[in-house]
Each structure stands twice: as structure tokens, then as C-alpha cells.
């Protein structure tokens, strides 16, 4: 038996995605830049995928650039913005809880002479908007990068307000929406971000495919130059099959959102939390959920078990077939809570006792109930 509760790490490739991709790995293996019919067929498949992704987020197809992964999308946006503005007199504002795919490149920018400020979050893991406004309202021109939803806690950030604040300062704004797309409505026609990163493997496409939304007329400097594919914004012969897979996954997530599939995932997550509380919450505060209860993706439970140590629980859970993560992605070799938990102000004890349980459209009620049984047993041994 194995029960997968780690969908924020990656997701199972959807059978429909595999089916859509297969022809482009077998018979239709042509170069999409070739002018003859077979090449044009491959190009047509890419353009269909571009429309599918654009439709999921309310963009125009020309605003979508396919990339090799979410990390690349983040780097492309940030490096284009930084290079376009120059290191003299440019300020960059990010949140403290960004993924390393935003923190590491902006740290490198700080080392290269840009002014970079990391803004903290409140106790619920949401951006401190007052501090953000203050950081942005410096006299300097600049840009901000604020994630739409956090990968550890699932906490959703106030993107509308972030856009209002950055726009009134005349700044550009990028968002890492990698943990939001496919989990909640992400619409660039409603939220005025200039750049938005997507990664396929977080919503049932394969690993190694992503895209970047670049709003029409936003200045953009390519990070990868060459043959001019993707409108010159990301050169390199396109990975047709994976792009087709990303398009199909986007279509599936649109259908799931429309037909109640995402609500079902949220109900399962709530069932998981309710059952943990019912079975273990005998003493007040023994089971604690971390992060905002109101602003979060519907698929994540981030939960601490007082007195337990996640590092001890994880191998025991794995032994019993439960695949999940520690709520605190401990830095390798260092006994420290994650930067996300530190930013939220969690105690070390609470941080180290937490699990991240993340579901997907493939999760079932039976799996949730069985996982609760196993978690309860392990917690009772570890406490
Ligand atoms: N940003 C966030 C919030 C993520 O969760 C991840 C993946 O874990 C990434 C960026 C990196 O995406 P990829 O694995 O496609 O490079």
C-alpha cells in the first residue's frame, strides 16, 4: 500500500496527459520550426497548448512563453527585470517566504549591487502589507516578486493589494504562482501582475516543463538567446511533447475547477484535518494547524503534533506506506526550521513537529481515512 500525500512536491502525471504527449514522442517527432507539413503539425500542437495554458489563467496565447521548469520561469522574469533596470538605483522587494528559485537569484542580485529587501510575513504566513508598502515606497524605481501561494503552508498571498501597491509606485511585479495554478483561480485578467511563473509538475504534467506569462507590452530581455523560438523570448527547439502535456494538464485543471473537482479536494483536506483533531486533539493545543485558515490552497494541511519530531515520524510513516513531508523543509545538515516557519514566528519545537500533507485530484476518501489511522498510530508512538 502507498498513499501519496506530497502533492506540493510533485504530482502524478495524468493518464490523459501521457496520452496527449505520446504521439509527439513517437510518430510526430518533427522540429516545430520546420516549414513542411509535419513540422507545421508539431508547431500547431505547441500553439494549441499555448491556448490551453492561456485560457486557464485568463491570458492571451502570445503572453505565454514555454520554459524548462518553474525555476527557469522565475529566473527569466527576475533577470529580465533586473537587467532592464540596471543595478544602479534599482530596488527589488521580495517576501521572506519565497521559494529558493526566487531567493537565490535575488540574493545574487544583492551581491551584484542591487538593493534587495525581504519583507516579513505575519503569524499566519501572509505578507505584512504595511511593511511591503513601506519597502516599495522608497524613492527608487524597482520591482517586486511575491509568491501567489506558499509551497510549505499553502497560504495564499494578498496579490490584489500587492499589485495595487506596486502599480501606484510605478513598479513592475512578478509572482511565482507555481503552487497556486491548478489549485485555485489564478486570473491575470483580474490581478494585474506583469510576470507569472507556472510549473507543470505541480498539476499533473511531467517534471521539466513550465512557462512564464509575460503581460503584453512588458519590456523583456531574454535569458536564453539563440534561434529565436518562443518569439525570441526563450530560444531552443521546443520540447513539443512536454509542452503538449502542459497544455493538456491545464485543460484538465480547468475542467476540475469547473466541475467541482477542486472543491472535492478541499473537502478531503478538511476531512483529514477534522479527523486528526477528533482522534488526537484530546488536549487543547496538541494538534495545531499552521498558517492562515482562511487564505490557503484547498489541498494542504500543515499540522504540528506537540512533543513529536517530524524527522522521527517520517520514516515510520514511510514504512507504513504514507508518503509526505516534514512541514519544515530542514536545511540540509542544519538543525533549523525552514525560513517560512521562521518568518511566521513559529517556535522551533512547533516547527520540527510539523508535517505537510498535500493532496491532489487523485486523492480519495479511503486514502485520507487510512492515512489518518497511520498518522494517529505514529503520533501515539512518537509523543
Ligand atoms: N516555486 C515554488 C513555489 C515551488 O513550489 C517550486 C517547486 O517546488 C518551484 C518554484 C520550482 O519549480 P520547478 O521544480 O519546476 O523548477
Amino acid at each position: 500500500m502507498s498513499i501519496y500525500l506530497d502533492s506540493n512536491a510533485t504530482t502524478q502525471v495524468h493518464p490523459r496527459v501521457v496520452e496527449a504527449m505520446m504521439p509527439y514522442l513517437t510518430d510526430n517527432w518533427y522540429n516545430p520550426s520546420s516549414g513542411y507539413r509535419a513540422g507545421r503539425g508539431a508547431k500547431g500542437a505547441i500553439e494549441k497548448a499555448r491556448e490551453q495554458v492561456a485560457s486557464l489563467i485568463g491570458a492571451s496565447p502570445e503572453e505565454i512563453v514555454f520554459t524548462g521548469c518553474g525555476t527557469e520561469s522565475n529566473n527569466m522574469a527576475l533577470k529580465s527585470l533586473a537587467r532592464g533596470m540596471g543595478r544602479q538605483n534599482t530596488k527589488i522587494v521580495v517576501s521572506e517566504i519565497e521559494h529558493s528559485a526566487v531567493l537565490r537569484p535575488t540574493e545574487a542580485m544583492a551581491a551584484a549591487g542591487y538593493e534587495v529587501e525581504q519583507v516579513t510575513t505575519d503569524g499566519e504566513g501572509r505578507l505584512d502589507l504595511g511593511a511591503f508598502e513601506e519597502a516599495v515606497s522608497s524613492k527608487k524605481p524597482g520591482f517586486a516578486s511575491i509568491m501567489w501561494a506558499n509551497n510549505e503552508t499553502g497560504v495564499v498571498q494578498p496579490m490584489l493589494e500587492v499589485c495595487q501597491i506596486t502599480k501606484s509606485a510605478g513598479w513592475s511585479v512578478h509572482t511565482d504562482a507555481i503552487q497556486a495554478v491548478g489549485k485555485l483561480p489564478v486570473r491575470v485578467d483580474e490581478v494585474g501582475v506583469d510576470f507569472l511563473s507556472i510549473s507543470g509538475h505541480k498539476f499533473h504534467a511531467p517534471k521539466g516543463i513550465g512557462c512564464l506569462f509575460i503581460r503584453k507590452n512588458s519590456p523583456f530581455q531574454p535569458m536564453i538567446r539563440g534561434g529565436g523560438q518562443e518569439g525570441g523570448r526563450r530560444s531552443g527547439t521546443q520540447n513539443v511533447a512536454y509542452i503538449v502535456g502542459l497544455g493538456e494538464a491545464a485543460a484538465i485543471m480547468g475542467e476540475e475547477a469547473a466541475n467541482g473537482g477542486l472543491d472535492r479536494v478541499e473537502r478531503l483536506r478538511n476531512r483529514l484535518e477534522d479527523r486528526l483533531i477528533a482522534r488526537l486533539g484530546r488536549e487543547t493545543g496538541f494538534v495545531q494547524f499552521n498558517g492562515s485558515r482562511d487564505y490557503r490552497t484547498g489541498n494542504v494541511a500543515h499540522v504540528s503534533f506537540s512533543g513529536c519530531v517530524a524527522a522521527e515520524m517520517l520514516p515510520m510513516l514511510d514504512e507504513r506506506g504514507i508518503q509526505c513531508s516534514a512541514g519544515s523543509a530542514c536545511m540540509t545538515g542544519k538543525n533549523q526550521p525552514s525560513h517560512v516557519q521562521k518568518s511566521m514566528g513559529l517556535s522551533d519545537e512547533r516547527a520540527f513537529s510539523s508535517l505537510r500533507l498535500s493532496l491532489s485530484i487523485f486523492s480519495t476518501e479511503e486514502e485520507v481515512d487510512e492515512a489518518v489511522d497511520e498518522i494517529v498510530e505514529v503520533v501515539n508512538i512518537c509523543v
Side-chain angles (χ1 to χ4, degrees):
M1 176 205 67
S2 86
I3 295 176
Y4 188 67
L5 294 178
D6 204 15
S7 296
N8 275 21
T10 197
T11 54
Q12 180 189 334
V13 181
H14 198 291
R16 261 176 66 188
V17 168
V18 177
E19 200 186 323
M21 289 172 63
M22 276 314 275
Y24 298 94
L25 293 168
T26 51
D27 297 341
N28 300 341
W29 42 263
Y30 297 92
N31 190 322
S33 299
S34 297
Y36 37 81
R37 252 179 304 154
R40 291 204 305 275
K43 184 167 179 357
I46 291 178
E47 295 320 315
K48 179 181 168 199
R50 207 183 301 283
E51 280 169 24
Q52 288 169 315
V53 174
S55 156
L56 182 67
I57 62 165
S60 299
E62 346 40 282
E63 293 175 313
I64 303 297
V65 174
F66 292 112
T67 65
C69 59
T71 300
E72 183 186 328
S73 304
N74 283 349
N75 272 263
M76 248 167 77
L78 297 167
K79 288 177 184 172
S80 166
L81 281 162
R83 228 177 288 140
M85 299 186 78
R87 71 190 72 188
Q88 304 293 332
N89 206 37
T90 296
K91 184 164 180 186
I92 302 168
V93 175
V94 300
S95 79
E96 277 180 355
I97 59 162
E98 296 300 315
H99 189 271
S100 49
V102 164
L103 291 178
R104 296 297 94 80
T106 49
E107 281 163 13
M109 287 165 194
Y114 291 87
E115 182 187 347
V116 178
E117 184 171 342
Q118 292 185 4
V119 174
T120 189
T121 61
D122 62 19
E124 299 206 317
R126 293 198 98 209
L127 183 71
D128 179 335
L129 274 176
F132 180 71
E133 187 156 22
E134 206 169 300
V136 169
S137 65
S138 85
K139 296 279 173 287
K140 286 185 179 180
F143 64 89
S145 180
I146 302 295
M147 70 197 329
W148 199 299
N150 183 263
N151 42 301
E152 288 185 33
T153 59
V155 172
V156 175
Q157 302 303 320
M159 290 314 300
L160 267 176
E161 291 85 343
V162 162
C163 289
Q164 276 156 8
I165 291 168
T166 44
K167 292 296 142 194
S168 51
W171 282 30
S172 299
V173 60
H174 162 256
T175 184
D176 172 344
I178 287 164
Q179 291 289 352
V181 170
K183 299 191 172 103
L184 42 84
V186 169
R187 302 288 307 185
V188 295
D189 47 357
E190 290 167 13
V191 178
V193 292
D194 301 298
F195 299 88
L196 180 144
S197 300
I198 294 178
S199 174
H201 74 102
K202 305 298 182 179
F203 58 98
H204 309 292
K207 285 157 271 299
I209 183 69
C211 67
L212 179 66
F213 159 78
I214 305 176
R215 191 174 292 283
K216 197 166 175 230
N217 297 329
S218 298
F220 183 73
Q221 300 206 12
M223 188 170 77
I224 299 177
R225 293 176 194 269
Q229 290 89 346
E230 295 296 297
R233 294 170 295 182
R234 200 273 194 180
S235 287
T237 303
Q238 288 103 329
N239 190 347
V240 183
Y242 278 53
I243 289 172
V244 166
L246 179 62
E248 186 65 19
I252 292 169
M253 296 325 293
E255 289 166 25
E256 289 288 335
N259 67 22
L262 301 185
D263 297 337
R264 188 189 69 85
V265 174
E266 185 162 351
R267 283 197 300 276
L268 280 181
R269 188 275 315 275
N270 294 345
R271 179 183 179 97
L272 175 71
E273 290 186 342
D274 291 348
R275 295 202 152 207
L276 286 173
I277 282 282
R279 300 273 296 278
L280 289 167
R282 53 194 187 273
E283 302 156 38
T284 320
F286 179 68
V287 178
Q288 285 174 308
F289 297 109
N290 303 313
S292 169
R293 308 283 289 158
D294 301 325
Y295 300 98
R296 56 180 179 151
T297 53
N299 75 313
V300 192
H302 193 285
V303 53
S304 298
F305 303 98
S306 184
C308 297
V309 177
E312 282 172 24
M313 296 169 69
L314 286 180
M316 293 170 73
L317 287 168
D318 190 20
E319 218 23 51
R320 291 156 188 256
I322 310 296
Q323 297 158 337
C324 64
S325 290
S328 176
C330 297
M331 288 171 254
T332 327
K334 290 187 200 154
N335 220 10
Q336 285 178 15
S338 77
H339 64 294
V340 176
Q341 293 182 313
K342 272 189 181 164
S343 181
M344 287 165 68
L346 293 194
S347 68
D348 286 7
E349 196 255 327
R350 183 161 166 185
F352 286 131
S353 70
S354 60
L355 296 181
R356 179 187 72 180
L357 308 167
S358 49
L359 284 63
S360 81
I361 54 169
F362 288 116
S363 304
T364 66
E365 206 168 276
E366 294 70 37
E367 285 180 335
V368 163
D369 293 354
E370 204 155 333
V372 169
D373 288 345
E374 299 297 344
I375 293 169
V376 167
E377 270 189 36
V378 167
V379 166
N380 283 330
I381 296 169
C382 288
V383 70

